[in-house]
Amino acid sequence: MSVESLFPRLEPLLLTVSKPIQYVGGEQNARSKEWDSVSVHWALMYPDAYEVGLPNQGVQILYEVLNERPDALAERTYSVWPDLEALMREHGIGQFTVDAHRPVAAFDLLGVSFSTELGYTNLLNALDLAGIPLHAADRNETHPIVIAGGHASFNPEPIADFVDAAVLGDGEQIVGVITDVVRGWKEQGSPGGRDELLLRLAATGGVYIPKFYDVTFDENGSARPITPNREGVPERVSKHTVMDLDEWPYPKTPLVPLAESVHERMSVEIFRGCTRGCRFCQAGMITRPVRERSITGIGEMVAAGLAATGFQEVGLLSLSSADHSEIGPIAKGLADRYEAEKVSLSLPSTRVDAFNIDLANEFSRSGRRSGLTFAPEGGSERLRRVINKMVSKEDLINTVTAAYSQGWRQVKLYFMCGLPTETDEDVLEIAEMAHDVIRAGREATGSKDIRCTVSIGGFVPKPHTPFQWAAQASPETIDNRLAKLRAAINANRSLGKNVGMRYHDGEPSMVEGLLSRGDRRVGAVIEQVWREGGRFDGWSEHFSFTRWMAAAEAVLTPLGVDVAWYTTRERDADEVLPWDHLDSGLDKQWLWDDWQDALTEFEQDDCRWTPCFDCGVCSTMGTDIQIGPTGRQLLPMAPKA
């Protein structure tokens, strides 16, 4: 049965809202299929505004992978701003996709990619706008299966009441498995209803169905071991890992946004995973092992992507792009190819110990020389040993001196505040480092026109990391230390005037901490915040700490726990964690041992270049590190006719 577009009813409303172009669709490389030509229909959501969601690599990859299948279609949906939301509610228009403006409620599956937990209220808003029952328990076979993915899905317990399923890890292959299961169930006449479909998904071993697991709590508030309540459901659900990235060269034809977006460039993921072992970094821990895309595979993706989009900038993405075993030849080969076309190349923040001037010069050969970004993370060398970020102050100063001497004038340094064992003195060393950077730049260039920006975020302990047991610093502690740091930077006016300071206060981090290590009891907090107007909590102008704390007190106090119980409390080794039944491959004892190593300031090497440390990932997941060098090279492009 065909599904009609909502656009004829939506279009008149767009005349009165801000940035209406973000709701129109029809971007270059967008896909749209006939509804009745396929068996399985996916709506893919990034739970934030279009300008943030459209560039998201994960959604773009799954969008292409699914639309290449002859039996499936995928369309995109994003969070709508409050002005359009109000009009949609007034006129009875449901959450829609931007591709064909079909109602999200009509799809078989709604896949939601969470990069951050602060998108949870936007999920609830989208479900409500779509007319999909908020609670999974109230849905039937006429409603979409709501599936959570992304990094936050490694602990989906706080949203377990609202999602039917969660997938851990890489999505390229598991979406195919899910599509096959749904197609087979529909072709058989949907036997057993929604429960049977969910059981079939659970039986794959790679899809977590929260309703099939019982969660109970001790009198002290801690969770008891989480166990399945149905036969055929695995004790633990494992993450998915795509091996040989060259076989998955997505996105092949990236979307080109119609409206301004946060990333106006084409991006290529040059490798996935990281084994540097930074103890705070959930992304590095849960994406192990390292899997490099080959130099020729990268070259082919860049060529295809530029031809399909017309972008003038290429971002080479990963968690630590300068660590690619062939980053030098990649940079030179791409610069050689595209110098005449003035296509610029960029890296995300770079590790000090992986950076070199030759590499930087290759990336700036197009003539565009943006600032350099480094992430020491911890203010002092002692603290960097705790977090396993093995960067010395001397290395940093030498690196920025070389950069300034080669013509750079702007350096950005990224730090975190509130790390385990941190003191005021650790944070105040950031001011010393920033001043030393300015001194080094002035000495290297003979100019006072040198800038250093210090950017600071509040640390949030995350599941599946060695710091998952750590106490989170309170907002008051964070804000007090940042005030002292600002004063220390400005104490030397000659140097301080060239240092910019950007930071987030501690309150959003506290809410993120509640959600990242929360359990199913926190779901009622999320729901109350949403019912009281919570939307776009990742945006400072929409975030309300007071609203979150009031909801938490109302919901959690009768249960004998509070926000501090979830955040500023240190966990013991034997405590059952809400995500223990979700398998990232990392051995829990190994994580605990690394937590103890952190407290003694013991540094762990990178297993790419040293013997295996038995973290558990490769041995339990059947994976292995895939790195070069391959010995291949990028050949010059044939001249255009």
Side-chain angles (χ1 to χ4, degrees):
M1 181 186 300
S2 294
V3 174
E4 293 186 3
S5 169
L6 296 173
F7 196 70
R9 298 173 58 202
L10 177 69
E11 186 178 17
L13 307 183
L14 299 183
L15 298 173
T16 61
V17 302
S18 64
K19 298 183 180 178
I21 192 68
Q22 64 189 306
Y23 306 117
V24 172
E27 301 93 344
Q28 186 169 333
N29 301 320
R31 316 284 181 92
S32 186
K33 290 184 177 182
E34 291 294 327
W35 186 266
D36 294 334
S37 69
V38 302
S39 302
V40 181
H41 310 89
W42 282 82
L44 299 176
M45 182 180 191
Y46 191 86
D48 208 325
Y50 175 95
E51 62 201 78
V52 178
L54 184 132
N56 180 262
Q57 285 286 100
V59 172
Q60 288 207 33
I61 288 169
L62 299 185
Y63 179 70
E64 275 198 32
V65 168
L66 286 165
N67 277 316
E68 284 187 355
R69 291 181 61 120
D71 61 349
L73 65 76
E75 298 185 12
R76 297 162 293 125
T77 185
Y78 306 104
S79 298
V80 299
W81 287 109
D83 57 353
L84 182 58
E85 178 195 340
L87 290 171
M88 289 168 64
R89 292 188 184 280
E90 178 184 346
H91 293 269
I93 297 174
Q95 180 81 20
F96 57 88
T97 62
V98 297
D99 293 291
H101 297 92
R102 290 165 172 144
V104 166
F107 286 75
D108 298 306
L109 302 121
L110 172 59
V112 189
S113 179
F114 291 103
S115 298
T116 169
E117 296 84 359
L118 293 177
Y120 289 162
T121 51
N122 280 359
L123 165 66
L124 270 59
N125 204 44
L127 292 174
D128 188 64
L129 277 172
I132 300 169
L134 214 60
H135 297 106
D138 296 330
R139 297 174 197 146
N140 58 39
E141 52 268 25
T142 69
H143 300 119
I145 300 294
V146 181
I147 306 179
H151 287 180
S153 70
F154 277 77
N155 177 26
E157 293 303 291
I159 54 171
D161 288 343
F162 314 118
V163 300
D164 298 290
V167 169
L168 282 62
D170 300 335
E172 290 94 330
Q173 293 167 319
I174 188 61
V175 293
V177 174
I178 294 170
T179 300
D180 290 340
V181 170
V182 173
R183 188 192 67 238
W185 175 76
K186 291 178 70 175
E187 288 175 348
Q188 294 169 17
S190 307
R194 192 179 188 87
D195 253 26
E196 171 63 21
L197 176 56
L198 293 175
L199 274 170
R200 292 186 185 191
L201 291 172
T204 67
V207 181
Y208 173 52
I209 310 296
K211 70 177 292 183
F212 294 155
Y213 294 80
D214 288 330
V215 176
T216 57
F217 301 95
D218 289 329
E219 292 182 0
N220 66 1
S222 298
R224 298 190 180 102
I226 298 169
T227 55
N229 56 33
R230 300 284 186 99
E231 289 186 10
V233 174
E235 293 281 338
R236 303 186 77 203
V237 178
S238 299
K239 75 169 184 179
H240 301 270
T241 304
V242 169
M243 303 300 293
D244 196 349
L245 294 184
D246 281 348
E247 292 185 359
W248 297 88
Y250 296 92
K252 299 173 183 176
T253 54
L255 294 163
V256 180
L258 292 175
E260 183 180 1
S261 67
V262 293
H263 297 304
E264 301 283 345
R265 67 186 179 212
M266 179 218 154
S267 298
V268 173
E269 185 183 27
I270 65 172
F271 70 84
R272 195 172 291 182
C274 183
T275 47
R276 285 283 194 168
C278 300
R279 293 172 174 128
F280 58 84
C281 183
Q282 184 190 49
M285 292 289 171
I286 63 177
T287 59
R288 293 182 174 206
V290 173
R291 291 145 286 150
E292 289 186 351
R293 203 180 297 278
S294 71
I295 183 172
T296 49
I298 293 166
E300 290 165 3
M301 286 189 69
V302 171
L306 289 176
T309 63
F311 280 126
Q312 288 296 299
E313 180 181 352
V314 178
L316 302 181
L317 304 185
S318 75
L319 294 174
S320 183
S321 294
D323 281 342
H324 193 290
S325 64
E326 295 181 295
I327 190 61
I330 290 169
K332 184 179 186 308
L334 292 176
D336 287 344
R337 280 186 174 187
Y338 299 109
E339 182 177 14
E341 299 175 35
K342 299 299 181 184
V343 173
S344 63
L345 307 173
S346 64
L347 291 178
S349 64
T350 307
R351 287 185 64 101
V352 172
D353 51 356
F355 176 86
N356 64 73
I357 290 298
D358 290 339
L359 180 63
N361 284 334
E362 295 292 357
F363 276 90
S364 63
R365 214 197 298 173
S366 68
R368 301 181 194 178
R369 182 163 287 195
S370 58
L372 296 173
T373 301
F374 300 104
E377 310 288 2
S380 68
E381 290 195 25
R382 182 200 72 80
L383 194 57
R384 290 193 289 277
R385 289 194 295 273
V386 171
I387 65 177
N388 206 46
K389 189 86 174 190
M390 294 176 280
V391 175
S392 71
K393 181 178 177 180
E394 181 181 3
D395 288 340
L396 176 67
I397 298 303
N398 289 340
T399 298
V400 298
T401 298
Y404 284 132
S405 68
Q406 292 293 313
W408 274 268
R409 294 292 179 267
Q410 171 77 25
V411 169
K412 181 178 179 180
L413 304 177
Y414 181 79
F415 298 90
M416 284 185 289
C417 185
L419 290 160
T421 79
E422 180 185 273
T423 65
D424 290 358
E425 289 69 30
D426 292 315
V427 175
L428 292 176
E429 284 198 35
I430 296 173
E432 295 179 24
M433 185 180 291
H435 289 164
D436 286 345
V437 165
I438 298 298
R439 288 191 187 97
R442 289 178 176 177
E443 183 176 343
T445 64
S447 169
K448 290 191 175 182
D449 184 24
I450 298 296
R451 297 290 302 171
C452 174
T453 300
V454 172
S455 182
I456 306 176
F459 168 66
V460 178
K462 294 286 186 175
H464 306 281
T465 71
F467 288 167
Q468 65 184 357
W469 290 278
Q472 184 173 349
S474 69
E476 295 77 18
T477 299
I478 298 261
D479 294 346
N480 182 50
R481 286 177 181 163
L482 292 179
K484 290 179 178 178
L485 174 59
R486 178 178 287 279
I489 288 174
N490 294 330
N492 186 324
R493 295 193 62 184
S494 172
L495 299 171
K497 66 183 181 181
N498 288 70
V499 178
M501 181 174 166
R502 298 176 183 172
Y503 64 90
H504 302 287
D505 62 43
E507 291 181 347
S509 296
M510 184 57 48
V511 172
E512 187 179 343
L514 169 67
L515 300 177
S516 68
R517 293 193 289 176
D519 51 44
R520 295 191 187 182
R521 293 171 292 190
V522 175
V525 178
I526 300 169
E527 182 173 346
Q528 182 162 324
V529 167
W530 169 75
R531 292 192 182 281
E532 294 178 359
R535 314 278 193 279
F536 291 97
D537 286 297
W539 297 69
S540 58
E541 61 266 41
H542 294 278
F543 175 80
S544 170
F545 186 68
T546 300
R547 181 163 52 211
W548 275 99
M549 292 303 100
E553 183 176 1
V555 169
L556 299 177
T557 300
L559 302 177
V561 292
D562 56 16
V563 171
W565 191 89
Y566 287 101
T567 56
T568 57
R569 175 182 66 91
E570 187 170 319
R571 278 72 166 162
D572 295 328
D574 57 354
E575 180 170 334
V576 175
L577 302 175
W579 51 90
D580 277 349
H581 58 305
L582 302 174
D583 188 7
S584 64
L586 294 159
D587 180 71
K588 189 176 181 181
Q589 184 61 50
W590 181 86
L591 288 171
W592 175 263
D593 291 343
D594 204 38
W595 167 230
Q596 300 308 298
D597 285 342
L599 297 177
T600 61
E601 302 173 22
F602 178 80
E603 296 171 303
Q604 184 74 275
D605 291 326
D606 189 326
C607 65
R608 268 174 291 192
W609 307 301
T610 58
C612 174
F613 297 117
D614 295 322
C615 73
V617 170
C618 291
S619 58
T620 61
M621 297 283 134
T623 58
D624 203 356
I625 294 171
Q626 293 180 336
I627 59 175
T630 62
R632 305 177 206 157
Q633 60 181 336
L634 289 178
L635 300 175
M637 298 285 281
K640 294 182 179 178

